[in-house]
Amino acid sequence: MADKHEQTVDPHTGTATTGHEWDGIAELNTPLPRWWLWTFYACIIWSFAYWVAYPTWPLVSDYTKGILGYSERTNVTEALQAVRDSQAKLNEAIVKDSFADIKANPQLLNFAMAGGKVAFGDNCAACHGRGAQGAAGFPNLNDDNWLWGGTFDQILQTIQYGIRSGHPEARISQMPAFGVDGLLTPSQIDDTAEFVRSLSNLPHDGAAAERGKAVFQGDGACVTCHGDDGKGNPEVGAPNLTANIWLYGGTKEAIVTQITTGHGGVMPAWSGRLDPATIKKLAIYVHSLGGGQ
Amino acid sequence: MTDISTSITPAASPTPGRKRAEVSPPTQSTSMYKAREPIFPKLVHGKFRRIKWIFMAVSLGIYYLLPWLRWDRGPTLPDQAVLLDFAHQRLYIFGLEIWAQEFYYVTGLLIISALLLFLVTALAGRVWCGYACPQTVWTDLMIAVERIWQGDRNARMKLAKAPWSLDKTWRLAGTHVSWLLIGLATGGALVFYFADAPTLFMELVSFEAPAIAYIFIGIFTATTYVLGGLSREQVCTYMCPWPRIQGAMFDADSLLITYRGFRGEPRGPHKKGDTWEGRGDCIDCNQCVVACPAGIDIRNGAQLECIQCALCIDACDEIMTKVGRPTKLIAYDTYRNLEAEAHGKRAPIRLIRPRTILYAGLTALVGGLMLFGLSQKTIFEMNVVPDRNPLFVQLSDGSIRNGYEIRLLNKRRETRSFGLSVSVPEAKINVVGIDGENPPITVAPDDLRSIKVYVSVPREKAATLGATTPITITARDRDDGTETARETTFKGPGR
């Protein structure tokens, strides 16, 4: 208060004024309790103690560390390590135990399912979709229709080595490109496609399907892989043609294209990229999606 | 709402006798801060003091003894009547058991408490502050203890002024040690609400209790000692927001503690035998001021510091009886009536008015909702969450499959086994992790089990269903046949 004002006493309350006045309204000087001032000083002193104890001041390329050595980054690292340590035993058990044992142990099964779900989202969802529902060219993992087999061991094998992945253990069988390589004439391929549609009870041209059946069993030798009844063979990754579940689509055009090009997809090998426990968790998770055999 | 600010100015200036603290015009700049002026409330006797003693005894009794009350809930559960079990996320209140996902009951209790506070404030001012607030109750207790060690007001004032001596030292030491012990008991009682009291007590005295228990006892010992023993009215005046809110809660019909200036003024000393003609009933004996734990003079009208504890009423009534005048010179009254009486009329108390109807109605509504919720509490619950990705899956045989996340909550004390059924008779039910079709699902006692369930409908049936079919999933207790059903949907490719 640099300038002096006339300080008076407010007649209504008996409180002294500060002498400040605006449009006839006087400012009362109601003193603050002194202990509150001391509390404020104590807080200031407390902040100095904080500077000494905890990281406080940013420097050019560093910061003051404080004598307690507190660091949130270290805390997080330690907490994450603690989680990893606590999971280590479970992960060991996952690697060691058989699928049947894991299934019989609710704690282990829950752990495997939770881990598998996360790993699936991180590594598999890009192709197979977040709900493992697949897409054109990428198999749906929810159904009971498996290209390479749906037992736990077969799923595990597929995840470990991939399909046509270049891994020495990977399964690589390939459908011939009947059209591109001139193995069948376009009309034969057309007839075969009609026959394949008939296998799944889809609308088709009966006469053409009859002719296609002959190609399927004769010139095309499709039965070698897909079987006499067209039910496929997981040993060679031959799809079941009777289930009306299509990897590349069930329209006539899509089937013709497939017979013509013999296209086959690639799945990467995951052994070496993911640790054995994670791979096993993934296999358990995928097996649990409802199609496991 | 009538404007009450202009209604009564009790102490008409200039007044005979004592005035409010005389302030001589300052010559230099006045200080921005001032030390707390110690207050030495005098013990009063009377109706409201008695009510306050009873209230203190009951509320402190409940607070300190409740954790020790037992309540049998069977062998698997704690037998403490009131227990906040953080470890298992349960709240036990006698026969009521609130799980973490039912925490809205606690929210409801808090809402009801707030509404009741509004209602009581609208009816009779700061009743909560004056009688029931822990700050008031414990401060009252601390003052009573102080009185035991140091005597009543005059003795305490003398002791405060006296130079240090052996007598003063042991009296003050006794006071503060007693306060600390009360604080210790307070903090100690609080931790018993969070763990089994007898067990924790044995652990505490043998120094085997968890560190957190000692830390909390320490914190609450300190706060009880500082707030109840040392700070007292400073908490209400400077720290608590409630006095600022109360202005919105009162109206001209609220019963407030008021000094009837029209009857008391002009005040002045009165000798026995003098006439009462031409003067007010207030004999300026100052008993209302010395009794006040907030250290104010009620005769100056409504003040922020006043917690409406009614001790000045008792003090004044005693004096009025002595000098042979009617009591209730200071009394619970409404501003409307005070205004009327000043003009020789009367205004009856109106307890029922829009404000109180609103608060009471809201309280009844929330209470009714909670009672309804409690009556619907089951000992077995089920939640069904249908898979959203994929919505449905077509299997090799043409059947359509939907997945559901089902949570079964078994609140019984024993393991129960449940069977599932779906409102589509042709449907097949499979549970992930349990072999066989529609297997029994066991849920541990007092536990929640989450399962993944697949419901498949064969091709022929699926062809008759649309893209979305409402279905009901029912869980049946295989022991006593009780059923819980949940509506959900079955998705398909459509016709």
Side-chain angles (χ1 to χ4, degrees):
Chain A
M1 293 197 275
D3 43 353
K4 283 271 180 259
H5 299 272
E6 194 197 346
Q7 294 172 354
T8 55
V9 173
D10 172 58
H12 296 289
T13 57
T15 311
T17 67
T18 57
H20 298 168
E21 189 187 299
W22 294 268
D23 298 342
I25 300 170
E27 182 186 44
L28 299 186
N29 179 17
T30 310
L32 193 72
R34 190 171 293 285
W35 56 259
W36 213 333
L37 183 69
W38 290 119
T39 310
F40 175 58
Y41 290 155
C43 290
I44 294 173
I45 292 162
W46 179 260
S47 75
F48 278 106
Y50 236 81
W51 292 0
V52 175
Y54 285 99
T56 308
W57 292 105
L59 306 173
V60 176
S61 59
D62 200 14
Y63 57 93
T64 57
K65 296 276 194 299
I67 56 173
L68 293 187
Y70 171 89
S71 156
E72 193 56 41
R73 196 178 289 270
T74 316
N75 287 357
V76 171
T77 318
E78 280 170 6
L80 285 174
Q81 193 52 49
V83 171
R84 276 194 282 272
D85 293 347
S86 72
Q87 288 180 344
K89 258 203 169 59
L90 289 167
N91 279 324
E92 268 171 46
I94 294 267
V95 174
K96 206 170 70 242
D97 288 8
S98 71
F99 178 54
D101 288 347
I102 294 172
K103 261 196 4 184
N105 178 345
Q107 190 207 6
L108 215 49
L109 182 67
N110 281 339
F111 176 69
M113 292 279 290
K117 191 175 171 140
V118 172
F120 190 93
D122 286 347
N123 302 290
C124 318
C127 296
H128 290 283
R130 224 176 56 79
Q133 73 276 26
F138 302 100
N140 180 347
L141 305 177
N142 291 284
D143 57 35
D144 58 348
N145 188 35
W146 297 92
L147 294 172
W148 299 94
T151 67
F152 173 77
D153 290 330
Q154 286 167 318
I155 296 171
L156 188 67
Q157 187 187 351
T158 306
I159 299 173
Q160 276 174 323
Y161 307 129
I163 302 296
R164 308 179 191 99
S165 60
H167 190 284
E169 302 279 338
R171 290 169 293 196
I172 50 171
S173 71
Q174 181 79 40
M175 174 167 169
F178 290 96
V180 175
D181 297 343
L183 303 175
L184 293 173
T185 65
S187 68
Q188 282 178 309
I189 291 174
D190 216 64
D191 294 343
T192 311
E194 290 287 351
F195 173 68
V196 169
R197 276 177 68 80
S198 78
L199 286 173
S200 278
N201 293 322
L202 293 171
H204 58 278
D205 175 336
E210 274 304 313
R211 291 195 301 274
K213 186 173 181 179
V215 178
F216 193 85
Q217 292 170 340
D219 280 358
C222 310
V223 290
T224 344
C225 298
H226 290 282
D228 287 337
D229 49 6
K231 288 236 191 266
N233 178 5
E235 290 296 311
V236 293
N240 178 353
L241 304 176
T242 67
N244 194 20
I245 295 174
W246 308 96
L247 186 56
Y248 295 107
T251 62
K252 170 114 184 264
E253 293 73 29
I255 297 171
V256 167
T257 306
Q258 180 55 29
I259 300 173
T260 308
T261 61
H263 181 74
V266 172
M267 168 163 159
W270 292 96
S271 69
R273 295 197 201 196
L274 299 175
D275 59 274
T278 307
I279 290 179
K280 205 155 171 185
K281 283 187 235 175
L282 277 170
I284 291 167
Y285 174 71
V286 171
H287 188 269
S288 79
L289 289 171
Q293 293 156 348
Chain B
M1 170 96 201
T2 46
D3 181 21
I4 58 175
S5 57
T6 58
S7 53
I8 297 290
T9 35
S13 295
T15 52
R18 182 183 303 267
K19 280 203 258 330
R20 196 188 165 107
E22 297 263 358
V23 183
S24 49
T27 45
Q28 294 135 4
S29 86
T30 46
S31 167
M32 304 288 284
Y33 308 100
K34 79 168 196 245
R36 178 197 172 205
E37 289 168 18
I39 296 169
F40 305 94
K42 188 166 180 246
L43 180 63
V44 298
H45 304 278
K47 181 167 74 168
F48 294 107
R49 180 65 267 184
R50 214 168 21 252
I51 292 173
K52 280 167 69 77
W53 284 135
I54 293 167
F55 213 106
M56 183 203 281
V58 171
S59 56
L60 288 179
I62 290 174
Y63 174 76
Y64 287 120
L65 299 178
L66 198 55
W68 298 92
L69 209 58
R70 300 290 103 186
W71 186 272
D72 187 25
R73 295 191 185 85
T76 54
L77 289 176
D79 63 346
Q80 188 160 317
V82 177
L83 179 68
L84 248 163
D85 189 349
F86 275 130
H88 305 100
Q89 305 196 332
R90 301 282 165 82
L91 170 58
Y92 301 101
I93 305 175
F94 296 96
L96 196 63
E97 193 179 317
I98 294 176
W99 290 40
Q101 62 267 42
E102 295 167 335
F103 200 75
Y104 43 80
Y105 286 117
V106 178
T107 314
L109 277 178
L110 292 175
I111 291 172
I112 285 181
S113 306
L115 287 168
L116 283 176
L117 199 58
F118 297 170
L119 177 64
V120 164
T121 306
L123 288 174
R126 293 173 69 180
V127 169
W128 166 261
C129 301
Y131 298 83
C133 176
Q135 174 65 31
T136 296
V137 171
W138 261 276
T139 299
D140 225 10
L141 178 68
M142 299 302 199
I143 292 174
V145 168
E146 186 177 68
R147 199 173 280 127
I148 292 169
W149 283 100
Q150 306 176 20
D152 205 358
R153 175 179 161 90
N154 294 343
R156 294 210 298 279
M157 286 169 83
K158 231 173 48 214
L159 191 70
K161 284 203 191 80
W164 282 100
S165 65
L166 190 61
D167 177 68
K168 179 169 176 167
T169 309
W170 78 258
R171 282 177 191 278
L172 282 175
T175 310
H176 285 267
V177 169
S178 308
W179 285 351
L180 281 167
L181 287 175
I182 290 171
L184 192 64
T186 307
L190 194 87
V191 296
F192 291 145
Y193 283 89
F194 298 87
D196 187 58
T199 319
L200 183 60
F201 181 77
M202 293 320 292
E203 285 175 346
L204 283 169
V205 293
S206 59
F207 295 102
E208 287 164 358
I212 194 88
Y214 292 110
I215 290 168
F216 269 96
I217 291 176
I219 290 172
F220 285 102
T221 304
T223 50
T224 310
Y225 171 74
V226 170
L227 299 179
L230 306 179
S231 308
R232 298 186 185 176
E233 82 292 338
Q234 303 275 305
V235 175
C236 312
T237 310
Y238 294 109
M239 304 182 199
C240 181
W242 189 235
R244 284 92 187 141
I245 299 168
Q246 66 171 336
M249 304 271 149
F250 298 166
D251 54 27
D253 290 302
S254 305
L255 280 167
L256 305 177
I257 291 172
T258 48
Y259 164 70
R260 294 145 186 272
F262 63 86
R263 196 188 117 189
E265 301 301 324
R267 65 180 84 153
H270 176 269
K271 281 203 191 65
K272 214 173 159 81
D274 281 3
T275 176
W276 289 94
E277 289 300 315
R279 54 154 300 151
D281 281 350
C282 176
I283 62 166
D284 209 9
C285 65
N286 233 23
Q287 286 307 299
C288 57
V289 178
V290 298
C292 178
I296 55 164
D297 188 340
I298 187 67
R299 294 170 301 177
N300 293 328
Q303 287 149 81
L304 175 91
E305 295 89 341
C306 173
I307 57 166
Q308 301 195 2
C309 65
L311 291 178
C312 52
I313 300 184
D314 282 344
C316 187
D317 280 356
E318 201 175 4
I319 296 297
M320 287 294 115
T321 316
K322 264 192 198 140
V323 300
R325 299 299 291 165
T327 55
K328 296 198 175 172
L329 178 59
I330 304 174
Y332 274 106
D333 204 348
T334 68
Y335 274 112
R336 192 186 299 285
N337 188 46
L338 213 59
E339 184 85 335
E341 283 194 12
H343 299 99
K345 298 200 224 34
R346 283 199 60 82
I349 295 170
R350 291 165 52 217
L351 292 180
I352 298 171
R353 40 189 211 274
R355 184 188 290 258
T356 56
I357 291 171
L358 176 73
Y359 292 148
L362 285 173
T363 310
L365 179 74
V366 178
L369 281 173
M370 278 181 62
L371 284 175
F372 175 75
L374 285 172
S375 71
Q376 298 297 306
K377 259 176 85 110
T378 53
I379 38 181
F380 163 49
E381 279 179 31
M382 171 170 69
N383 286 327
V384 176
V385 184
D387 277 4
R388 294 198 310 269
N389 185 6
L391 284 171
F392 64 90
V393 172
Q394 186 195 321
L395 302 179
S396 331
D397 60 3
S399 58
I400 302 295
R401 195 189 75 200
N402 277 220
Y404 301 91
E405 184 82 31
I406 295 186
R407 292 191 190 89
L408 295 168
L409 199 58
N410 173 25
K411 298 189 187 178
R412 284 196 179 82
R413 313 270 182 261
E414 70 259 6
T415 304
R416 291 296 238 207
S417 167
F418 301 100
L420 293 175
S421 63
V422 184
S423 59
V424 181
E426 299 86 343
K428 280 196 340 196
I429 299 175
N430 295 93
V431 182
V432 173
I434 312 180
D435 292 327
E437 197 176 313
N438 200 358
I441 301 143
T442 53
V443 187
D446 224 18
D447 202 4
L448 178 147
R449 182 167 182 187
S450 191
I451 49 173
K452 185 69 181 283
V453 173
Y454 290 119
V455 175
S456 337
V457 170
R459 183 204 303 247
E460 302 73 37
K461 179 69 186 176
T464 68
L465 299 176
T468 301
T469 314
I471 62 165
T472 310
I473 295 183
T474 311
R476 186 166 180 278
D477 188 320
R478 293 158 58 98
D479 295 321
D480 63 7
T482 48
E483 290 189 342
T484 298
R486 282 282 172 275
E487 303 282 322
T488 182
T489 54
F490 189 89
K491 305 271 185 194
R495 292 185 184 88

